[in-house]
Amino acid sequence: MMHFLLLFSRQGKLRLQKWFLPLPERERKKIVKDMTTMVLARKPRTCNFMHWKDLKIVYKRYASLYFCCGLENQDNELLALEILHRYVELLDKYFGNVCELDIIFNFEKAYFILDEFLMGGEIQETSKQSIAKSVEASDMLQEVRH
Amino acid sequence: MSPSVRLQEMIRVIRSARTQGEERGIIQRECADIRAQFRQGDNGERSHSLAKLLYVHMLGYPAHFGQMECVRLIASPRYNEKRMGYLGAMMLLDEKQDASLLITNSIKNDLSHSSQYVQSLALCTLACMGSAEMCRDLAPEIERLLRASNSYIKKKATLCAVHIIRKVPELAELFIPAARSLLSEKNHGVLHGAVVLITELCARNPDTLDQFRKAVPELVQIMKGLVTSSYSPEHNVAGISDPFLQVRILRLLRILGHNNDTASDAMNDLLAQVATNTDSSKTAGSAVLYETVLTIMDINSESGLRVLAVNILGRFLLNNDRNIRYISMTSLQKIVQTDHNAVQRHRGTIVDCLKDQDTSVKRRALDLSLALVSAVNIRSMMKELLIFLSTCPLELRSQTASGIFNAAERYSPSKRWHIDTILHVLTTAGGDVRDETVPNLIQLITTASELHCYTVHKLYRALVKDISQQSLVQVACWCIGEYGDLLLKGECEEIEPVQVTEDDVLEALETVLQSHMSSPATRGFALTATMKLSTRITDNVDRIRSIVSIYGSCIDLELQQRAVEYNALFKKYDHMRAAVLERMPVMDKNSPGHTNGDTSGEIKEPDPSKPKPVEAGLLSEPASQVCDLLDLLGGTDTPLQPKPAPTITPTTTSSADLLDLLGGLEPIPVPTVTVYEKNGLSLKTQCDKQTETDVTVTLIASNSTQSDITNFTLQAAVPKSVQLQMKAPSGNVIPAHGLGQVTQTVLLNNPNKVSLKMRIRVSYSHQGAVHQDTVQIDSFPSLGWNCQPSINPL
């Protein structure tokens, strides 16, 4: 199960944080700080896996954003890379050539998409089209009612 | 009230702030606006205000005043407000907040909402932050949704059930029947959720695990379908059909097949198929292969399959992708104990990974390399490890050093190789080794007696080159002190001869003594070594004397003490110096706690050059060496005394010559007191105070009977805080008619100044009969020192 998913910029600014475990605010802030420090300190051509306390940390850089998640021991790190990639693809499809600014100004949409893809730290849908359709339908619902 | 600023406008304004202070100001204004908005009630702008608050929260500012607004928004009938409310709940509320309970009712209502998107919001929020109470409340609802709804809701309900089980394990039984039937779903999302649910159920309860073993054939079918299916655009990732689902199924199979032959057999073919057919050119395929390998290694698979798995890992090792190399080494580490030979085949590649740029990869390679060292490959592996040590990152150094030492200790082909290796490590990474290395190395060197000459030459050269690595310097000083004569002789078969003069050696030791790089312990080593050389060199004894006397006024207490004692050895006890500073005997590798705790008469010291705390004036530091000396000078017939009471440790055999020296040490004649007299055997004590806390007691036994007393032994016990050191007796036969005496000296150290008592047991043979008796001496003269012990014969 994934414990958390963080997106942050090259300067260490947080752009998205999803927590799949109940943690106090102080604890969350500490984890975010640790993650940004660790990931930003990594040299360019190193592998994408690290160890932190008893978690496996998988991170990947896409343009100016770092995607970082914390996994448990039995989770498959290579698959986590695929999960991160899938999320980026979903964002890309939705925003059309997504960039960091899209996520900054439309952060709530990024969360909605994530909530269609992951739930409780696990994948809920493995089909890209399915997710895209649901998000679209929800958006329409929002327009109609509004 | 300024008109509400839309979310994006606010974000733009915040981002344009040039300083932290400016940003704070903007945020404060916005928060005030938001609070006002919340107070206003329903005006169609609430969701925007909450969105702004959530952005502010993400920047790290406090946002708890929005919690109640989330609750209100969730209860709203409008979808956009609900959506924002639930998002706010997931971000701001967690199970510790009281407000979270308030949304339970809303969630319950929304779970039965007509719109599936509203239902989905409720399910998502419950799975994200549902507390145990909420889970208990809503579990039946979830179970209902699991069975009767469309696949969109089913897949979400499944993961919600997973969350419920994690939070409230007792509710697991509720979901078992539904979970079983979900496996026949076609929708991949639902199937994936079902597999996760079953995995969670099996992980928590071994009975459930047994139940679900029956599902293995079904799972195998599903997996086969995925692997052999034709291209499906919906689920395809880099040529693999739904790798997410495949990995999850493999993981479940692993749990089901573990320690179970039937289940393992059922999946053997499938695993072989997946392992052979999966294309691993992209990450997705590698992820599936990786999971397959983990499964194969964890179930009761047949050996052919295991070999296949290890070969896959070997292939991974050669992959260009660093991630895959890392993964493969992690997996190899797990199986290196069980499938050692298979992993050995890849040793070359693993050792190459030591040279990788990436620290994580290096770390894995180091762990694996150390696990692969064996008697066969020790020489080549050590070469690689030593090269690695000189270039490895700092955080790995001490681990590498300890690993090398362990390996060397277990598999070293020869003593000389072992010593060379340790020296190499000390020269390269002396600062990162553990403290026991120094005594261990010294002990090793003493056992390799044929290599003393070689060792001391090498160490001397290393010392001359560099005195910054403390462990190396300490060992070098010790060896130079011990084997200085071999060093000065100059010839040694194994190294090119270099003429070393006495001045050179003393120069080197003085440099160590004076350098500010040397730690106090190191300087102690150097001083002792200098002292030892006084008996091994011929010309420069005066130089040594002057060095030693200089340090007599050193600020460091330890050094000063040593120097003063050595000075005394020169001045007053010069006749003893040679004997005291003789060569050390070979040490056994006993633990320091081997001999009984209270006494200090330890014969086998793990580190002889670090003297024990001072016991008594003269024979303090050399005293411990004297004990070893007594050992060395060889036994007389007196056997080792047995140790019945915990506080007795008599020293070993002695030589009469030495005792004469000791006898000569008692400067002041003191009165003798008879403490025991029975059957013709009389025992007298003569005590002599040395310092405030130390006393030397001489026991004198004489025999007034007609026949000799033989096998005479004395054992002594003292109170706990007193340290006792018994010197060897002069003999064990007391001639008859008072023609001779047996004397034995006992040194007592009484740091706590308790009242001194001693219990003495005598045992001897007389006229064919064995006699034993005990006498207790209740008080020795304390500070008064009038030496009139009171006696309490038992």
Side-chain angles (χ1 to χ4, degrees), chain A residues 12-114:
Chain A
K13 289 219 129 127
L14 195 62
R15 299 298 176 207
L16 188 143
Q17 51 174 336
K18 186 76 187 177
W19 301 91
F20 297 109
L21 272 188
L23 289 169
E25 188 72 36
R26 212 183 30 221
E27 188 79 30
R28 291 184 186 186
K29 285 208 162 116
K30 180 166 187 312
I31 293 180
V32 171
K33 201 155 72 85
D34 284 346
M35 287 302 115
T36 43
T37 326
M38 272 173 69
V39 171
L40 293 174
R42 292 283 275 185
K43 298 206 211 37
R45 269 188 306 276
T46 52
C47 75
N48 298 78
F49 311 131
M50 293 187 289
H51 252 95
W52 182 81
K53 296 204 180 158
D54 59 338
L55 293 177
K56 298 197 242 199
I57 308 294
V58 177
Y59 74 94
K60 193 139 182 354
R61 190 178 134 223
Y62 288 91
S64 58
L65 270 182
Y66 281 96
F67 286 67
C68 169
C69 61
L71 306 170
E72 285 178 344
N73 236 325
Q74 331 83 294
D75 292 326
N76 187 324
E77 296 100 309
L78 292 172
L79 198 71
L81 279 177
E82 283 300 308
I83 294 177
L84 293 177
H85 191 74
R86 174 58 67 91
Y87 184 46
V88 172
E89 283 177 332
L90 290 167
L91 290 171
D92 198 47
K93 185 89 191 298
Y94 184 82
F95 289 108
N97 240 340
V98 68
C99 63
E100 189 182 346
L101 283 177
D102 289 321
I103 302 186
I104 295 173
F105 283 96
N106 299 288
F107 69 93
E108 81 274 17
K109 305 234 173 52
Y111 275 103
F112 296 148
I113 297 172
L114 186 61

Side-chain angles (χ1 to χ4, degrees), chain B residues 561 565 611-625 725:
Chain B
Q561 188 149 32
E565 288 157 16
K612 297 288 177 263
V614 177
E615 297 159 314
L618 323 151
L619 289 177
S620 52
E621 197 266 351
S624 44
Q625 291 173 328
Q725 191 176 4

Side-chain angles (χ1 to χ4, degrees), chain B residues 455-469:
Chain B
T455 315
V456 72
H457 271 274
K458 275 207 92 161
L459 282 169
Y460 173 73
R461 278 168 221 203
L463 186 67
V464 165
K465 250 195 283 192
D466 171 25
I467 57 169
S468 61
Q469 306 273 36

Side-chain angles (χ1 to χ4, degrees), chain B residues 129-151:
Chain B
M129 45 75 72
S131 66
E133 265 112 71
M134 288 165 72
C135 290
R136 256 187 270 265
D137 264 344
L138 300 167
E141 272 299 303
I142 305 297
E143 205 270 334
R144 187 181 59 80
L145 287 172
L146 260 186
R147 281 182 285 111
S149 53
N150 60 19
S151 32

Side-chain angles (χ1 to χ4, degrees), chain A residues 45 47-48 76 125 142, chain B residues 83 155 291 322-323 358:
Chain A
R45 269 188 306 276
C47 75
N48 298 78
N76 187 324
E125 179 59 66
Q142 189 158 325
Chain B
R83 209 180 191 195
K155 75 186 183 205
E291 199 73 30
R322 211 167 252 119
N323 293 331
D358 184 352

Side-chain angles (χ1 to χ4, degrees), chain A residues 1 15 42 45 47-48 75-76 104 106 116 119 122-127 137-139 142 146, chain B residues 8 15 51 58 80 83 117 152 155-156 166 192 234 242 248 251 287 291 322-323 358 360:
Chain A
M1 150 185 177
R15 299 298 176 207
R42 292 283 275 185
R45 269 188 306 276
C47 75
N48 298 78
D75 292 326
N76 187 324
I104 295 173
N106 299 288
E116 288 293 326
M119 197 158 108
E122 308 280 356
I123 300 172
Q124 70 177 274
E125 179 59 66
T126 56
S127 151
S138 315
D139 281 349
Q142 189 158 325
H146 192 65
Chain B
Q8 295 177 345
R15 279 168 63 79
M58 189 148 60
N80 64 327
R83 209 180 191 195
Y117 297 107
Y152 179 72
K155 75 186 183 205
K156 292 181 189 259
R166 283 182 184 148
H192 186 278
E234 204 180 340
D242 207 340
R248 255 355 253 239
R251 200 163 133 183
E291 199 73 30
R322 211 167 252 119
N323 293 331
D358 184 352
S360 319

